[in-house]
Amino acid sequence: MNLLTKMNFQLQNILSINRNQNMKIWKSLLIVLMIVANFAFAQPSFADRPKFSKNPDYIEVTKALNELTQTKDAQTQVEGLTPEEIQKRTEELTLQKYALETGINWGQCDNQTGNTIAVYGKRPNNEDDEDAVYENNLYFLANGQSTKNNWDCDGIYLPNDVKVANFTSSPNGQGQELTGAAALKILDGTQLVIKTNPDNAAIELNVPTVKVVNSKEANWFIPDISQDIINTRVPNAPSNQS
């Protein structure tokens, strides 16, 4: 009996050792699988950020800045722009170029017009909706409000009965006058302040580098409506005051 007991005890020890070894093997395999899975799911975070040099806004700003710099260095006159306006545009473009280079990916709209204005922005939570008709949404921003920090205001809507004072449609100051309803796009890193001139009721913009969005080139909703209609809308743009 003693011999059988001893053999049984040794057998149990062997089985226990095997179980422990198997457990260690399974634990090791589990750790390896967790590491592999972590790299697999985290791979996008290691992906290279999109190069700003390929950003259309960056290309346009760089081109306009180079043109204005050459004009300034050569002391030549740009049609429709005074030397002071050229200097202001050069300074503005320099900061916008820097903003794009440093990865700032949102702009801000500040309404000081005395009326409700319409602004363009991304859909809630940046969710892609396969059924969405337009690239972004049209929101309404109350007077005295600015769009929320880190929420990207893509631009503003200009009603069919409102004009922009001293407006040109390209960053270097060249372009046609703006007539009729339109969408105006701003660059990332810009704080656009929109005011109303008390003398002629025209809209004034604090930055010269806004761009008219062509509905044939960009899928933006550009209705043909008046300012009176916009004033009847409930403000719903994400704002610092809301």
Side-chain angles (χ1 to χ4, degrees):
M1 290 295 295
N2 291 337
L3 179 61
L4 291 174
T5 302
K6 189 174 183 180
M7 290 177 64
N8 183 49
F9 179 75
Q10 290 177 344
L11 180 60
Q12 289 180 351
N13 286 339
I14 294 173
L15 291 175
S16 177
I17 292 173
N18 289 337
R19 282 197 300 268
N20 291 335
Q21 290 178 340
N22 288 336
M23 288 296 294
K24 289 181 180 179
I25 293 174
W26 280 110
K27 287 182 179 179
S28 299
L29 288 174
L30 182 60
I31 292 173
V32 171
L33 288 173
M34 291 176 63
I35 294 174
V36 172
N38 182 62
F39 275 105
F41 287 106
Q43 187 175 359
S45 64
F46 293 99
D48 294 334
R49 295 174 59 184
K51 294 184 178 180
F52 59 81
S53 59
K54 296 182 180 180
N55 185 324
D57 287 344
Y58 183 80
I59 295 173
E60 183 175 3
V61 167
T62 301
K63 179 181 177 182
L65 183 59
N66 290 338
E67 291 176 355
L68 289 178
T69 301
Q70 292 173 4
T71 298
K72 183 179 177 182
D73 293 342
Q75 296 183 348
T76 56
Q77 184 69 31
V78 177
E79 184 179 355
L81 291 180
T82 65
E84 291 76 16
E85 290 173 332
I86 292 177
Q87 176 64 29
K88 181 179 179 180
R89 288 178 183 272
T90 301
E91 293 172 354
E92 177 66 28
L93 288 169
T94 299
L95 289 180
Q96 289 187 339
K97 181 173 181 286
Y98 173 76
L100 293 169
E101 289 173 342
T102 53
I104 297 177
N105 59 0
W106 59 281
Q108 188 172 57
C109 297
D110 186 357
N111 180 15
Q112 302 295 332
T113 64
N115 296 301
T116 298
I117 65 171
V119 300
Y120 293 94
K122 298 297 184 292
R123 288 184 289 274
N125 301 322
N126 291 326
E127 292 180 356
D128 293 328
D129 186 353
E130 295 180 356
D131 297 327
V133 179
Y134 300 101
E135 294 177 6
N136 49 29
N137 284 353
L138 193 63
Y139 298 88
F140 299 96
L141 185 67
N143 177 55
Q145 291 187 345
S146 61
T147 54
K148 193 173 182 178
N149 293 347
N150 296 310
W151 184 83
D152 187 16
C153 181
D154 291 327
I156 64 171
Y157 168 77
L158 189 69
N160 56 21
D161 56 350
V162 174
K163 297 184 181 300
V164 178
N166 302 321
F167 179 81
T168 51
S169 61
S170 63
N172 60 8
Q174 302 301 299
Q176 73 279 4
E177 292 184 0
L178 183 62
T179 57
L184 305 182
K185 178 183 178 181
I186 66 173
L187 300 177
D188 290 340
T190 299
Q191 185 187 52
L192 179 66
V193 180
I194 310 100
K195 296 183 178 181
T196 301
N197 188 309
D199 296 328
N200 55 21
I203 294 297
E204 294 182 343
L205 309 177
N206 68 317
V207 295
T209 51
V210 294
K211 181 179 181 181
V212 177
V213 174
N214 189 330
S215 59
K216 296 180 180 179
E217 299 175 355
N219 191 18
W220 289 28
F221 177 54
I222 309 176
D224 188 15
I225 58 178
S226 66
Q227 178 62 50
D228 286 341
I229 295 298
I230 292 179
N231 285 338
T232 66
R233 301 297 93 186
V234 175
N236 63 346
S239 68
N240 286 329
Q241 285 76 20
S242 63

